[in-house]
């Protein structure tokens, strides 16, 4: 079976859904791997390196995907690419299925079977397949490094002959995978770290990393997590209490990293204009939710800006792409871990089991139809056509990883 790995064409995307290690694993299964020329340039992987690993190099997208049984991508195929896909091909990528369900509807018309990897259910067995976790982990790390670069002072406490330098105060809002890595990275750099999240289970996780937890309303936070391990959208009164707590806390902080996301919805606004105005000159806000509208009211997605009172707001998006080589390796391993259990050695191809929770959760279209209840609902809300979805993934019988957040 031929597996195609095209070059990414989204602006600012340096990753590739391939790695030397994973290509070797696919070839050992008996697959043929074709990589588009230049696909690994942004991730410091040359065509020659891919060839040495056993892959073939194709000149363009059309040649790469021709006769391929499966296509691996980082982002969804654009309209031009979708037109070159063939019925029955399998596409595995981060498709933004709940954000842009109409694009899934268009993709379904090509007759491909598509798996939206961002919809991977958060169960223990699927941890190694979870692209959100692997990429968010890197993003949390990079967010703090970006903050350290923009911050005009030292992060750790320093005892010098010229005097003592106090540690920077870092505040992380949202303690999912990205937030936990941000806390750990800030602590390693010597900052005094505090954090907050709607889910009470994260309190112990913050403490385990040496941070202090800022509680808002313990009673309301008891109902703040879905069965799948994601954060729920909280009622308006909760956000009013949260704003008050944050309003009191922010003026004391030097670095703020916001990570709060709700799948398929705009990012909640956690930092208002007046809160920013209360912060110190030279303090830094890194808004990791910028791509979804931002957690800060003044964030400009894709830009680093400075307010009149000297607060630097970093709204740069796609932080994993800034660590393209590592991010690509992890993304490719996630895809391999997802597809490899379904490889049929006798047939020499992949046979996906419909009753597998990881398949049910990520399958978004098949045979020209939408095949996911959540995507169908999002499409209906967006004014698209309504198609009969496959049954909704039921992962209740499997153990979820309680440490995975939004």
């Amino acid at each position: 079976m031929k597996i195609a790995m095209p070059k990414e064409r989204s602006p600012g995307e340096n990753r590739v859904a391939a790695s030397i290690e994973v290509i070797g694993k696919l070839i050992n299964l008996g697959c043929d791997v074709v990589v588009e020329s230049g696909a690994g340039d942004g991730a410091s992987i040359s065509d020659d390196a891919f060839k040495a690993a056993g892959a073939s190099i194709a000149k363009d997208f059309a040649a790469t995907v021709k006769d391929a049984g499966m296509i691996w991508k980082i982002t969804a195929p654009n309209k031009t690419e979708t037109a070159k896909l063939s019925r029955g091909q399998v596409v595995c990528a981060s498709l933004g299925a709940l954000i842009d369900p109409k694009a899934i509807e268009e993709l379904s018309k090509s007759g491909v079977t598509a798996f939206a990897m961002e919809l991977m259910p958060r169960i223990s067995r699927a941890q190694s397949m979870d692209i959100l976790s692997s990429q968010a982990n890197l993003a949390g790390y990079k967010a703090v490094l970006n903050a350290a670069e923009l911050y005009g002072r030292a992060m750790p406490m320093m005892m010098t002959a010229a005097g003592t330098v106090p540690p920077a105060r870092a505040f992380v809002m949202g303690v999912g995978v990205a937030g936990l890595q941000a806390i750990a990275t800030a602590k390693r750099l010597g900052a005094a770290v505090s954090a907050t999240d709607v889910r009470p289970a994260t309190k112990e996780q913050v403490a385990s990393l040496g941070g202090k937890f800022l509680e808002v309303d313990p009673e309301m936070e008891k109902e703040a997590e879905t069965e799948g391990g994601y954060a729920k959208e909280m009622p308006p009164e909760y956000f009013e209490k949260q704003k008050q707590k944050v309003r009191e806390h922010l003026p004391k902080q030097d670095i703020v990293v916001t990570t709060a996301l709700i799948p398929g919805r705009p990012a909640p606004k956690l930092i208002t204009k007046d809160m920013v105005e209360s912060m110190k000159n030279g303090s830094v806000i890194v808004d990791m939710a910028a791509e979804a509208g931002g957690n800060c009211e003044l964030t400009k997605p894709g830009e680093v800006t400075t307010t009149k009172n000297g607060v630097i707001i970093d709204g740069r998006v796609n932080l994993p792409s800034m660590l393209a080589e590592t991010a690509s390796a992890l993304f490719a391993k996630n895809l391999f871990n997802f597809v490899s259990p379904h490889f049929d050695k006798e047939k020499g191809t992949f046979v996906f089991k419909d009753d597998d929770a990881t398949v049910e959760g990520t399958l978004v279209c098949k045979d020209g139809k939408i095949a996911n209840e959540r995507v169908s609902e999002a499409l209906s809300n967006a004014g698209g056509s309504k198609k009969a979805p496959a049954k909704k993934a039921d992962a209740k019988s499997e153990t979820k990883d309680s440490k995975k957040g939004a």
Side-chain angles (χ1 to χ4, degrees):
M1 182 179 185
K2 175 181 172 181
I3 298 180
M5 299 171 178
K7 183 177 182 178
E8 297 298 323
R9 290 172 169 79
S10 299
E13 184 55 77
N14 297 313
R15 294 172 293 175
V16 58
S19 71
I20 302 303
E21 178 191 3
V22 167
I23 285 174
K25 289 178 178 290
L26 289 170
I27 290 172
N28 287 338
L29 281 181
C31 299
D32 295 322
V33 179
V34 181
V35 180
E36 184 177 352
S37 181
D41 288 353
S44 304
I45 311 174
S46 66
D47 289 351
D48 288 341
F50 282 134
K51 286 174 69 176
S56 301
I57 304 298
K59 64 178 181 178
D60 55 25
F61 182 88
T64 304
V65 302
K66 184 180 179 182
D67 300 324
M70 184 179 291
I71 295 123
W72 286 12
K73 286 188 91 277
I74 297 290
T75 60
N78 59 36
K79 289 184 178 180
T80 302
E81 292 170 338
T82 298
K84 293 179 172 65
L85 300 179
S86 302
R87 189 174 189 85
Q89 289 183 315
V90 176
V91 176
C92 297
S94 177
L95 299 177
L98 300 181
I99 298 169
D100 190 5
K102 289 187 177 181
I104 302 300
E105 184 177 41
E106 288 301 311
L107 187 61
S108 72
K109 293 176 182 177
S110 66
V112 303
T113 297
F115 293 98
M117 297 302 295
E118 75 275 11
L119 300 184
M120 184 65 64
R122 292 201 160 178
I123 54 178
S124 294
R125 181 168 63 83
Q127 289 181 48
S128 65
M129 313 171 193
D130 190 349
I131 63 166
L132 291 184
S133 291
S134 72
Q135 303 303 294
N137 192 41
L138 292 174
Y141 165 76
K142 185 60 176 171
V144 175
L145 295 188
N146 288 351
E149 177 189 357
L150 295 170
Y151 184 56
R153 283 158 267 175
M155 291 270 287
M157 182 176 74
M158 296 181 181
M159 306 289 286
T160 76
T164 300
V165 177
R169 293 180 178 272
F171 180 41
V172 178
M173 302 182 72
V175 189
V177 175
L180 288 170
Q181 184 57 250
I183 292 167
T185 303
K187 285 295 294 184
R188 284 195 291 267
L189 291 177
V193 184
S194 58
T196 188
D197 194 284
V198 299
R199 293 157 298 173
T202 61
K203 182 177 181 179
E204 292 181 7
Q205 296 165 33
V206 171
S208 72
L209 294 172
K212 293 183 179 180
F213 190 77
L214 183 70
E215 286 184 315
V216 177
D217 187 321
E219 287 302 312
M220 294 179 73
E221 288 165 354
K222 289 179 180 178
E223 304 297 325
E225 188 173 344
T226 68
E227 291 183 357
Y230 293 94
K232 283 184 181 178
E233 186 168 16
M234 300 295 282
E237 55 267 31
Y238 177 85
F239 287 112
E240 286 305 313
K241 291 184 178 181
Q242 184 185 54
K243 285 179 182 178
Q244 185 55 40
K245 282 276 187 180
V246 171
R247 185 175 281 108
E248 296 169 0
H249 197 61
L250 283 179
K252 307 170 189 175
Q253 305 306 305
D254 300 301
I255 291 170
V256 179
V257 178
T258 67
T259 74
L261 287 168
I262 300 168
R265 299 192 182 187
K269 290 291 183 281
L270 306 180
I271 302 178
T272 60
K273 181 175 180 289
D274 67 293
M275 291 179 188
V276 176
E277 290 171 349
S278 74
M279 295 177 67
K280 295 181 289 187
N281 191 324
S283 54
V284 178
I285 297 172
V286 179
D287 194 336
M288 292 183 63
E291 206 158 1
N295 294 140
C296 176
E297 200 171 53
L298 300 182
T299 297
K300 293 185 178 179
E303 298 181 31
V304 177
T305 58
T306 303
T307 66
K308 290 181 180 180
N309 62 314
V311 177
I312 301 167
I313 303 175
D314 186 351
R316 285 177 285 184
V317 299
N318 197 3
L319 299 187
S321 187
M322 295 181 182
L323 302 166
E325 186 173 356
T326 305
S328 297
L330 295 180
F331 196 103
K333 193 67 175 291
N334 290 147
L335 294 185
F336 179 79
N337 291 338
F338 169 59
V339 304
S340 57
H342 304 283
F343 188 73
D344 189 315
K345 293 183 179 179
E346 293 183 3
K347 296 180 180 179
T349 188
F350 294 90
V351 180
F352 292 94
K353 304 172 183 65
D354 292 339
D355 60 350
D356 187 295
T358 65
V359 173
E360 286 183 320
T362 57
L363 180 65
V364 291
C365 63
K366 185 178 181 180
D367 298 329
K369 297 179 180 179
I370 299 297
N372 185 286
E373 186 175 327
R374 294 171 70 191
V375 176
S376 182
E377 183 181 350
L379 184 61
S380 179
N381 293 337
S385 62
K386 199 170 184 179
K387 298 187 179 183
K391 67 177 182 177
K392 188 176 182 180
D394 182 6
K396 291 181 182 178
S397 60
E398 304 197 43
T399 305
K400 74 181 179 70
D401 175 12
S402 62
K403 290 190 177 182
K404 289 190 175 182

